[in-house]
Amino acid sequence: MTERLVVIGGVAAGMSAASRARRLRPDLEILVFEKSGFVSYGSCGLPYFVSDIIKAPENLVVYDAKFFKEKRNIDVFTHHEALKIFPAKRTLLVKNLENDKEFEVQYDKLVIATGARAVRPNVKGVDLKGIFTIRFLEDGIEIKSFIKENSPRKALIVGAGYIGMEMAESLVSVGMDVLIVEQMPNILGTMDDEINEVVEQELQRNGVKLLKSTSVDEFIGENGYVRKAKLSNGEIVDAELVLIGAGIKPNSEIAKEAGIEIGRTGAIAVNQRMETNISGIYSAGDCAEAFHLVLNRPVYIPLGTTANKQGKVAGENAAGGNAIFKGIVGTAVFKVFDLEVARTGLSEKQAKAEGFDYVSTVIEHGSRAHYYPGGSKIRVKLIADRKTGRLLGAEMVGRDGVAKRIDVFATALHAKLTIDEIGQLDLSYAPPFAPVWDPVLIAANDLEKKIKK
Amino acid sequence: MTERLVVIGGVAAGMSAASRARRLRPDLEILVFEKSGFVSYGSCGLPYFVSDIIKAPENLVVYDAKFFKEKRNIDVFTHHEALKIFPAKRTLLVKNLENDKEFEVQYDKLVIATGARAVRPNVKGVDLKGIFTIRFLEDGIEIKSFIKENSPRKALIVGAGYIGMEMAESLVSVGMDVLIVEQMPNILGTMDDEINEVVEQELQRNGVKLLKSTSVDEFIGENGYVRKAKLSNGEIVDAELVLIGAGIKPNSEIAKEAGIEIGRTGAIAVNQRMETNISGIYSAGDCAEAFHLVLNRPVYIPLGTTANKQGKVAGENAAGGNAIFKGIVGTAVFKVFDLEVARTGLSEKQAKAEGFDYVSTVIEHGSRAHYYPGGSKIRVKLIADRKTGRLLGAEMVGRDGVAKRIDVFATALHAKLTIDEIGQLDLSYAPPFAPVWDPVLIAANDLEKKIKK
């Protein structure tokens, strides 16, 4: 009998797993069940679809179900929801959402790539029309057509995280007035103040209002459409379109019910082979934990890159291979208006909370030779262990050359380099691309002085 | 008596050494002798000064002699040439080029940062007016005023290295027809063919003619000005301005005469503290060797970044400190028209010549998410040791996001990472900056397959 691999979820991790397994095992039967109508799309591109930089939703799709069937012999079932896993008999209960029929499929190997869902605050009026989260391609399509049909002028964004920032740019670009409310006293979660203040200035420069330590108490509607929001500070603000970017939660319930171990983060616990505690069942992507190489423990930092890497490893092992996913270092980057904001490893806030004895520095230096046009100041914050000098984390913000510079620090974190070693890296230099002392080196050399003291 | 540090050469390495020594030792007397009229300038910016992207020569100068005297208490003597070192009595014979007077100065510590000089081919007519090398700020000023006064239309560049490429762009941008002749069968020295072919296409696209395996036999003049050149293929070509970019030679003679050890490369031999074999004498920059961390031996790869780093270490040690310069990995980047071309570590040619048992791969992948505008294909070539999988080198070419991506590989070379480790790096991802699988990861994962075989 043909061996069968079943994959739950067909976006980043799921399709990576299926594709990898197919490459190694032409004989394997591979079935993918995806709840939504699309597979293999770049959800990180949704803000740019809303702002119309990307015209058609199909442009975000890497490959469609037809491609996977014809080119890779992978059976993709869209609009199919996985309801329950029966590990003892190795079956999965699936519901066809188009005809509501349920059926059970047998599997030899199972990859759980159920992803995550956006958190919606439990306040009055949250189900009014015009209130969105942005997670699935369908969300992007709905928001875009809502804007087209209703021409909202006043947008309210709940949550000043990455998605909130990207969507602020997106909604301003299509002509809306944007207010962001953030319930924490600072934006961007664990990012440090020296970076956040630059981001706040950029929001202001682009007319985006920001209220920190503020949440929404109630959404107020008219004919079923959201019109206003009552804030925790008592203010009532216009809100003709609301975007909720208040975090995401792993879809780990189906795993938990099947007796699969859930980590302390609430996501599915996996080892370096992406195996769960139940033999033959793997997990990858936004529903799973990842091992953090600086913190030395599993964390929940769901990102597309990690999902792809984990999916590939899960697929290889499910196909009988022997792949290892070593872990992440917490790298992230986003664009907000003309700013590039990036981080890797631990922020100072995190280093402090984790009890590290650390030193830190903040420097500013040009992205190109001082005499070459197009350059811009980059602000770099570095955090290192005081005793060993080992890099713990880096944050950067600027208008030019930030995104890929953070990768030097990410690589340094993987290699556990010290600040002393980073300060001597033989980095590329030519006037159009960098100053002779790259901001990366300037920051490291500055921090080294503090370590030597 | 006050201890005295004497530095020969006041550009990158020399002024770095002097400044570093001053920071550590406010009491030290510091004298710098510089042959030319300028100190502390960015010679890498000269092509952009010629093309008028940079208007005034002063824009290339970081600090002038007055600044060093007033702000750092460093006595800088421009137009002063060091003629001879007497290590036994710790003195230096110096000539004031403005009045031709010679004098001897005593030193306690000496830093030799005499730099390098451009090689001029020994052919008839090479001293005609209109034939330039570009090394000093004065060279740039002369070329720019020559162009202004003589409006040359036909430019000939001898040598298809970095400088030749940058100057081709520069001279085309001010309206000249440019022909490059290169005596070797390929451009760019040890760079591999897969990169070079893209560069050659870019030259062609911009109307630059290129003749490989061709040298100049004679420069033909009129009224003392160069007009034509006779090539080794028999052709006679117009040449109203000639730029010679045929490599540089270390100014190591003054050291050699003093009994200082010269390395096999012809440059001054130094240890990790930038000490020469004579106690109290240091060397740094384009006159000195650097230790290559992949080849595990001293090499001569003179670059501004290395000069700055070495100078800093020499200055610290000359001031009684204890700094180490670990070495370089051979990183370089240049811009030619719209292309960014970068390398680090060994090319395949070098790996082969050095007898490595290597594997290599060439891939192409987008610089941004496929759906995000402004991206462009990057070609990546990677070379790794077959048995250990350790990265040996990387080359990249493309129109977007190349320069700082090479730094990931440079960092990986410092850390001696394997291709397997590089393929899992947690690199930054957001659609405006990178695809979900960065070209760096794609290349590493592709090469890993060959290692596993």
Side-chain angles (χ1 to χ4, degrees), chain A residues 134-161:
Chain A
I134 187 158
R135 181 93 200 124
F136 305 108
L137 192 42
E138 278 93 342
D139 295 330
I141 295 170
E142 275 179 39
I143 294 172
K144 202 164 176 173
S145 63
F146 180 87
I147 293 172
K148 212 174 168 184
E149 286 161 24
N150 300 280
S151 306
R153 305 288 308 166
K154 304 284 184 182
L156 173 66
I157 294 176
V158 181

Side-chain angles (χ1 to χ4, degrees), chain A residues 29 70-71 116 164 169 173 187 196 211 225 260 307 323:
Chain A
E29 191 183 355
E70 288 175 3
K71 300 287 178 185
E169 177 188 336
S173 81
I187 63 171
N196 291 349
L211 291 171
Y225 285 82
I260 292 167

Side-chain angles (χ1 to χ4, degrees), chain B residues 70-256:
Chain B
E70 288 175 3
K71 300 288 179 187
R72 294 192 183 162
N73 189 26
I74 294 170
D75 286 297
V76 176
F77 300 85
T78 53
H79 299 300
H80 278 66
E81 185 178 3
L83 297 179
K84 203 167 162 64
I85 303 164
F86 302 98
K89 51 178 179 171
R90 296 206 167 204
T91 66
L92 178 70
L93 179 65
V94 179
K95 184 181 185 175
N96 180 340
L97 298 175
E98 283 172 341
N99 60 15
D100 275 349
K101 285 200 175 134
E102 295 181 8
F103 58 95
E104 232 174 288
V105 289
Q106 181 274 333
Y107 66 78
D108 295 292
K109 298 283 167 62
L110 181 70
V111 174
I112 305 174
T114 43
R117 60 184 176 277
V119 173
R120 284 177 93 98
N122 187 20
V123 297
K124 204 179 153 189
V126 74
D127 293 322
L128 286 164
K129 281 178 195 159
I131 302 180
F132 300 95
T133 55
I134 188 159
R135 180 93 198 122
F136 305 108
L137 191 43
E138 279 92 343
D139 296 331
I141 295 170
E142 276 179 37
I143 295 172
K144 202 165 177 174
S145 62
F146 181 88
I147 293 173
K148 213 174 169 184
E149 286 160 23
N150 300 282
S151 305
R153 306 288 308 165
K154 304 283 183 182
L156 172 65
I157 293 175
V158 181
Y162 303 157
I163 286 287
M165 295 295 142
E166 289 177 340
M167 285 305 296
E169 177 189 336
S170 174
L171 297 178
V172 164
S173 80
V174 294
M176 279 182 247
D177 292 337
V178 175
L179 165 67
I180 304 176
V181 296
E182 166 57 54
Q183 63 177 4
M184 301 296 288
N186 63 277
I187 63 171
L188 293 172
T190 57
M191 201 91 113
D192 288 325
D193 296 346
E194 296 91 339
I195 306 298
N196 291 349
E197 67 185 35
V198 181
V199 176
E200 289 188 33
Q201 284 160 15
E202 183 72 359
L203 291 175
Q204 201 172 16
R205 217 175 63 91
N206 287 278
V208 175
K209 284 192 196 110
L210 171 69
L211 290 173
K212 293 181 281 189
S213 303
T214 305
S215 51
V216 175
D217 283 350
E218 184 187 343
F219 292 107
I220 302 164
E222 214 180 277
N223 304 324
Y225 284 82
V226 68
R227 280 290 168 265
K228 292 180 188 296
K230 192 178 165 196
L231 306 183
S232 58
N233 63 6
E235 232 183 298
I236 292 178
V237 296
D238 290 330
E240 298 164 354
L241 183 150
V242 176
L243 192 285
I244 295 172
I248 61 174
K249 261 184 84 163
N251 292 324
S252 54
E253 289 80 359
I254 191 172
K256 194 178 176 187

Side-chain angles (χ1 to χ4, degrees), chain A residues 45 53-54 59 305 308-309 324 326 329-331 370-371 403-404 407 414 420 424-426 428-429 436 438, chain B residues 45 53-54 59 305 308-309 324 326 329-331 370-371 373 403-404 407 414 420 424-426 428-429 436 438:
Chain A
I53 287 176
I54 299 154
N59 294 346
T305 37
N308 273 277
K309 291 189 192 101
I324 294 289
K326 295 197 186 77
V329 295
T331 312
H370 70 277
Y371 48 77
K404 287 290 118 184
D407 287 349
H414 276 269
D420 170 45
Q424 293 210 351
L425 289 174
D426 189 9
S428 69
Y429 161 59
V436 68
D438 196 279
Chain B
I53 287 177
I54 299 154
N59 294 346
T305 37
N308 273 279
K309 291 188 193 106
I324 292 290
K326 295 197 186 78
V329 296
T331 311
H370 70 277
Y371 48 76
K404 287 291 118 185
D407 287 349
H414 276 270
D420 169 46
Q424 292 209 352
L425 289 175
D426 188 9
S428 69
Y429 162 59
V436 68
D438 195 279

Side-chain angles (χ1 to χ4, degrees), chain A residues 366-399:
Chain A
S367 61
R368 309 184 185 192
H370 70 277
Y371 48 77
Y372 198 91
S376 185
K377 278 231 155 62
I378 297 179
R379 183 176 286 195
V380 185
K381 178 163 185 174
L382 287 189
I383 298 103
D385 186 79
R386 187 189 302 272
K387 282 210 191 66
T388 62
R390 181 183 153 194
L391 178 70
L392 293 175
E395 295 159 281
M396 295 172 93
V397 63
R399 293 167 194 282

